[in-house]
Each structure stands twice: as C-alpha cells, then as structure tokens.
Amino acid sequence: MHVQEWLETVPAVAVYALVGLVIGLESLGIPLPGEIILVSSALLASQHGEIDPVVLGASATAGAIIGDSIGYAIGRKGGRPLLARLGNKFPKHFSEGHIATAERSFEKWGMWAVFFGRFVALLRIFAGPLAGVLRMPYWKFLIANILGGILWAGGTTAVIYYVGIVAESWLKRFSWLGLVAAVLVGVTSMLVLKRKAKKAGRNLEKAEPQVP
C-alpha cells in the first residue's frame, strides 16, 4: 500500500509517534526509510488539518536528536567491535568501504560531518555510532546533532508542508511525485557514497600488508 494512503488510516498521534520512532531508529544506526516517512507525513499534513505540521516537525526533530544521541552512546561503549558486528548484520550499509568513507569525512570535517551527514541517507545512519566510536567530544557532537536535527527534520517538514499548501490541487493528483523525488535524491546520494566506499575499500586492500 502507498505510504501516504496507509498514513491516512491511522490517528494523528500515531503518525507523530511513527515519524519520531522511524527517524530515531534510523539515526541510531538501523537502516530505515526515515526520509520517505517524513516526506509522506508532511504531504499528508498539508492536505489534512488533523495533522499539525508543528507537532510533526517537533516529533521528527526529537526522534533525530534522541536517536543520534543513543547511537553515539552505543558507539562509544561498543567501539570498533560494534562496527564489525553491524557489518555482519548489515553488509550493504556497514561494509568496510562505507566505514572508511565515513571515517575520512569525520577526519576532514569533524563535528560538521555529523551536521551535514544528516542530509545524506547513508551518513544519517553512520553519524551517531561512528562519532561515538571515534570518541568525538560529546559537546561537539551534541551541537552538530541538535543543529542538524532541527534543520533537516524541521526544515524538510516545513518545505514539504508549504509546497503542499501552495500546490494542493496538483499534489492531490500527483502526490507520489514528492515521494519519487525524495527517493531519487536518497538513491543518488547513496550511489555516490557507494562508489566512494568501493574506492576506499580498494585503497584499504592495497594498503594492507601482505602476509607471507
């Protein structure tokens, strides 16, 4: 069933809870379609007065910030063995190449990798746990986490909601285009990162000492 059609069948409070939960789990390090759920809910809010966009944005923001913070704590406690276990469970998302790419981003950008990582599908999963594993000072992580969570979750909700208000009649007929656009952005970013991750993986293999 279409995501937005399914969301129309549940109460507003359940939509808020679902958005916060899915985005929180994604930010914690579990691969889930947080962006698609958020875009669908924001479109729904623009077409139905039962859903308050302010509460929706606040729920998404809270889920993003809390999820990232929990991911940071888990990463700090679990260390690199945690990344190895995640790689075994989610090889497509936590491969050595992907981890190497994310690590280089953290080394180059520091706390801003957490901030900008919020806007990239794959890095959104990595940011919290990897910041903890790399022992980033918590105050730096928290600042970037809060700013990134507010701008991404709150900003996405606001933009999609107001676009829906301005073009309500058009979106009622073609609301799926908003989801397609979101998916295309997410897929494009993941493909770019995947290419970089493969390159990083090859570089790591070349750098590894040969065992006689």
Side-chain angles (χ1 to χ4, degrees):
M1 186 182 293
H2 194 291
V3 175
Q4 191 172 342
E5 291 176 351
W6 180 80
L7 289 172
E8 290 177 353
T9 66
V10 300
V13 65
V15 174
Y16 303 144
L18 178 65
V19 168
L21 179 62
V22 172
I23 291 177
L25 291 175
E26 181 189 38
S27 301
L28 190 152
I30 300 176
L32 290 174
E35 193 167 44
I36 293 178
I37 293 293
L38 180 58
V39 170
S40 300
S41 301
L43 282 174
L44 186 61
S46 71
Q47 299 166 14
H48 298 275
E50 294 84 1
I51 298 178
D52 188 330
V54 175
V55 178
L56 178 64
S59 300
T61 301
I65 294 173
I66 294 172
D68 244 16
S69 297
I70 296 174
Y72 175 90
I74 293 174
R76 193 173 180 88
K77 184 176 181 179
R80 291 190 176 278
L82 172 66
L83 296 180
R85 290 196 296 271
L86 289 173
N88 292 330
K89 292 184 178 180
F90 306 105
K92 291 184 179 180
H93 296 86
F94 289 90
S95 66
E96 290 185 5
H98 286 172
I99 293 173
T101 298
E103 282 187 307
R104 286 204 307 273
S105 298
F106 272 70
E107 291 172 358
K108 183 176 182 179
W109 301 105
M111 64 183 287
W112 294 110
V114 177
F115 176 83
F116 290 112
R118 178 61 65 182
F119 300 88
V120 181
L122 188 61
L123 287 181
R124 203 159 47 239
I125 301 171
F126 273 113
L130 189 56
V133 169
L134 297 178
R135 301 282 176 170
M136 176 182 290
Y138 183 69
W139 68 269
K140 289 186 177 182
F141 169 80
L142 185 61
I143 292 174
N145 181 24
I146 291 175
L147 292 178
I150 291 174
L151 191 58
W152 174 74
T156 298
T157 302
V159 169
I160 298 299
Y161 175 77
Y162 284 112
V163 166
I165 293 296
V166 171
E168 182 177 359
S169 60
W170 185 83
L171 286 172
K172 280 183 177 178
R173 296 180 58 191
F174 303 103
S175 61
W176 56 272
L177 289 177
L179 289 177
V180 171
V183 171
L184 287 177
V185 171
V187 169
T188 300
S189 63
M190 289 186 67
L191 288 176
V192 171
L193 285 172
K194 185 176 181 179
R195 180 179 297 178
K196 291 183 178 180
K198 286 183 177 179
K199 183 178 179 181
R202 289 194 296 267
N203 291 337
L204 284 176
E205 290 178 358
K206 293 178 180 179
E208 287 180 356
Q210 298 295 325
V211 179

